[in-house]
Amino acid sequence: MIQRAMGSVRVNRYSIVSTEEDGHKVSALGSVNGHSRNGKGHAPRRKHRNRFVKKNGQCNVYFANLSNKSQRYMADIFTTCVDTRWRYMLMIFSAAFLASWLFFGFLFWCIAFFHGDLNAPVVGGGPSLLKPCIMHVNSFLGAFLFSVETQTTIGYGFRCVTEECPLAIMAVVVQSIVGCVIDSFMIGTIMAKMARPKKRAQTLLFSHHAVISVRDGKLCLMWRVGNLRRSHIVEAHVRAQLIKPYMTEEGEYLPLDQRDLNVGYDVGLDRIFLVSPIIIVHEIDEESPLYGIGKEELETENFEIVVILEGMVEATAMTTQARSSYLASEILWGHRFEPVVFEEKNHYKVDYSRFHKTYEVAGTPCCSARELQESKMTILPSPPPPSAFCYENELALVSQDEDEDDDEVGVVLGGSTKEEGGVIQMMDFGSHLDLERLQATLPLDTISYRRESAI
């Protein structure tokens, strides 16, 4: 009897899921060899779904048949340049300066050509009798070098414009203004491209999987977020949306219907202090799109949950946004996240090697939140007793005593220690009734339960 009671809890108690492939295996546990658990028939297969938002935050959307696309992009040339890749940006940067130098070099060559500076008569091998517009410009190459020296303000002192041609003086003034405009635009674009908060989002981390388990007596959808930098995200807040096809009552088909998932907007729980990794919780209640979805329904659902983390970068005060998504196959039913924050002697340690890991929780109901709510009086478990031990407590103790020998460590459960004859694994008790039923199967203390006359 004891072995039966204990064996039902030992199976897959602390299974770890750390890769996407393992997540698919766990989510497919509802059917074995093509049959459902009750053996009634084949379980329907989940349709393949393209991601709307990729795991790295990029939106998987392609725009086609845009009218006047080039004109619209050129109207906002600064944003276009900031969004352009670096290699194209450097090409534009170099081409702008080269085009400016060539244009004004050609203009100076034309001024010198029509003024006759290129074919000026020379008497006795001495200097020309005609005063040139630009000194020492006798070819197009000389005019190009003068253009480069003028725009970059190098000023070697060898070539210079004279007061002979007002047109040449005007061209020098215009080129100086154009050069300042190009410099300002290019420097501003490069600075904005380097300092944009999009790069900051690469150090904001989302867990590979989301989980559904019971928290405070209610089914909740949970995922974890973390910040890899020591600098903070100011005014950080989270949002989540469920995206799935939807058919209206009038028969209109919406391929990407978006519905909000409440993560605590009304009570301010959506605003987080992201110093250490935090688990975001969505309570599956009557207003949740997941209210009627149980474990079996989750295995065949075709939806995507987009999660968004927004805040201001502490260094630049610019708003940044990090995104990720979870398909239905990436949601693990009956799992919890492993703890990553441990208290040490003088500080708190965050172990990011456990960030994506989960463990399975025995006794998680497989029904939907609606069914759980309707049968709340008989199915909903009561709060666990204070003596009930859980995996987080065990892991915290192991972290504190990691220097000690594992064979000498005893795990305390409800004030009793492990005995040599039978090892009692730590478990989560679903209710007081389960605890009493388990206690009835355990051997009683012979001294404590003797008759009064014997005592």
Side-chain angles (χ1 to χ4, degrees), residues 262-284:
N262 188 3
V263 291
Y265 314 121
D266 48 352
V267 294
L269 295 179
D270 61 319
R271 299 189 176 276
I272 57 178
F273 184 47
L274 194 58
V275 177
S276 62
I278 295 179
I279 297 177
I280 308 301
V281 180
H282 163 67
E283 182 181 318
I284 305 178

Side-chain angles (χ1 to χ4, degrees), residues 96-243:
F97 280 106
L98 187 59
S100 173
W101 297 337
L102 289 173
F103 173 77
F104 285 99
F106 179 75
L107 181 60
F108 290 135
W109 179 83
C110 291
I111 293 174
F113 176 79
F114 288 108
H115 190 260
D117 297 343
L118 304 181
N119 299 318
V122 178
V123 179
S128 173
L129 299 177
L130 180 63
K131 188 175 183 179
C133 293
I134 305 173
M135 299 294 294
H136 304 288
V137 174
N138 301 319
S139 62
F140 177 77
L141 184 58
F144 176 75
L145 292 176
F146 177 73
S147 174
V148 173
E149 295 172 10
T150 300
Q151 187 165 333
T152 56
T153 64
I154 294 177
Y156 290 123
F158 184 68
R159 299 179 180 85
C160 62
V161 66
T162 64
E163 66 276 6
E164 182 70 19
C165 299
L167 183 61
I169 299 175
M170 187 178 298
V172 170
V173 173
V174 172
Q175 185 179 12
S176 300
I177 297 174
V178 171
C180 290
V181 172
I182 295 176
D183 290 341
S184 302
F185 183 83
M186 290 300 172
I187 293 175
T189 303
I190 292 177
M191 289 298 298
K193 193 172 181 64
M194 293 178 61
R196 62 178 177 171
K198 183 178 180 180
K199 299 300 182 182
R200 181 63 175 88
Q202 295 181 359
T203 54
L204 299 176
L205 197 61
F206 291 91
S207 58
H208 290 163
H209 296 84
V211 299
I212 293 180
S213 62
V214 177
R215 174 173 284 195
D216 295 331
K218 297 181 180 179
L219 281 177
C220 297
L221 170 71
M222 294 172 282
W223 65 93
R224 184 145 59 186
V225 297
N227 180 17
L228 300 182
R229 289 187 179 273
R230 298 183 64 88
S231 60
H232 296 209
I233 297 294
V234 184
E235 293 291 333
H237 57 280
V238 293
R239 294 188 292 120
Q241 287 188 330
L242 185 139
I243 301 177

Side-chain angles (χ1 to χ4, degrees), residues 426-437:
M426 293 172 292
M427 62 194 74
D428 291 333
F429 296 102
S431 62
H432 291 290
L433 184 61
D434 296 338
L435 179 61
E436 293 175 359
R437 187 182 298 111

Side-chain angles (χ1 to χ4, degrees), residues 12-29 206-212 224 295 326 329-340 352-361 391:
N12 294 332
R13 179 62 182 87
Y14 296 148
S15 61
I16 304 299
V17 178
S18 60
T19 63
E20 186 172 353
E21 181 180 357
D22 294 335
H24 288 288
K25 293 179 181 178
V26 173
S27 63
L29 290 178
F206 291 91
S207 58
H208 290 163
H209 296 84
V211 299
I212 293 180
R224 184 145 59 186
K295 183 176 182 180
Y326 301 102
S329 60
E330 297 171 340
I331 300 177
L332 307 180
W333 190 282
H335 282 243
R336 291 178 187 166
F337 287 104
E338 285 195 8
V340 296
Y352 271 99
S353 65
R354 304 178 182 271
F355 184 85
H356 300 287
K357 294 182 179 180
T358 66
Y359 66 95
E360 189 175 357
V361 180
Y391 178 65

